[in-house]
Amino acid sequence: MPRIQGVDVPNPKPTYVALTYLFGIGRTQSIGICFALGIDPQRKAKELTEDEIARINNHLENEHMIEGALRRHVQQNIARLRDVHTYRGLRHRRGLPVRGQRTRTNARTRKGAKKTVAGKKGVKDMRH
């Protein structure tokens, strides 16, 4: 398995797909990287030479923010929103959806498992 920026990319996959295993690199960007470096995107990752891997590493280091640096950058942005008490920051702090989704129903991914609350007694229960 070729090791690119500290991540093992899978051998049997085409180069452009293998590059998407890096955090911060998607399909379009990986194809652009391959063309910028003159590497055939369809060639399997195991067929890459040491020189090509070194060129990819160098290009990613100089041109793109990926992996640890990108994760840190995203976390700092969220922390900044929390610190200045923006609406989005408060939603992050409370663990609620940030981008305007409804919360009356759904939103289970952000809110977690249901917490059942005892309901009111109905009118029928009051008669007995």
Side-chain angles (χ1 to χ4, degrees):
M1 281 191 190
R3 198 161 174 79
I4 298 173
Q5 293 291 309
V7 176
D8 290 328
V9 295
N11 272 334
K13 303 223 185 263
T15 303
Y16 81 98
V17 175
L19 285 175
T20 63
Y21 279 66
L22 300 166
F23 182 78
I25 302 289
R27 286 273 171 109
T28 307
Q29 214 169 24
S30 69
I31 292 169
I33 291 166
C34 289
F35 281 113
L37 299 175
I39 297 169
D40 178 21
Q42 290 296 336
R43 242 173 65 213
K44 303 288 185 216
K46 65 183 169 194
E47 297 168 6
L48 290 172
T49 64
E50 290 297 322
D51 176 53
E52 288 171 331
I53 292 171
R55 283 180 24 226
I56 291 171
N57 273 323
N58 190 29
H59 179 78
L60 290 173
E61 206 169 288
N62 295 332
E63 303 293 324
H64 300 277
M65 186 186 294
I66 57 169
E67 285 300 325
L70 182 58
R71 289 178 206 272
R72 203 167 25 260
H73 184 70
V74 170
Q75 286 303 315
Q76 286 171 346
N77 286 343
I78 293 171
R80 180 181 49 80
L81 291 171
R82 286 178 180 167
D83 292 343
V84 297
H85 296 286
T86 62
Y87 179 77
R88 279 172 55 206
L90 294 174
R91 303 295 285 182
H92 274 290
R93 184 176 289 162
R94 291 180 183 164
L96 294 169
V98 177
R99 297 185 178 179
Q101 297 92 330
R102 68 177 354 221
T103 55
R104 182 171 180 167
T105 61
N106 303 330
R108 280 290 140 218
T109 303
R110 283 293 293 187
K111 291 169 80 173
K114 272 187 183 172
K115 299 181 268 308
T116 306
V117 179
K120 285 185 179 176
K121 296 208 172 183
V123 176
K124 293 176 186 172
D125 296 335
M126 299 298 272
R127 278 191 248 160
H128 291 98

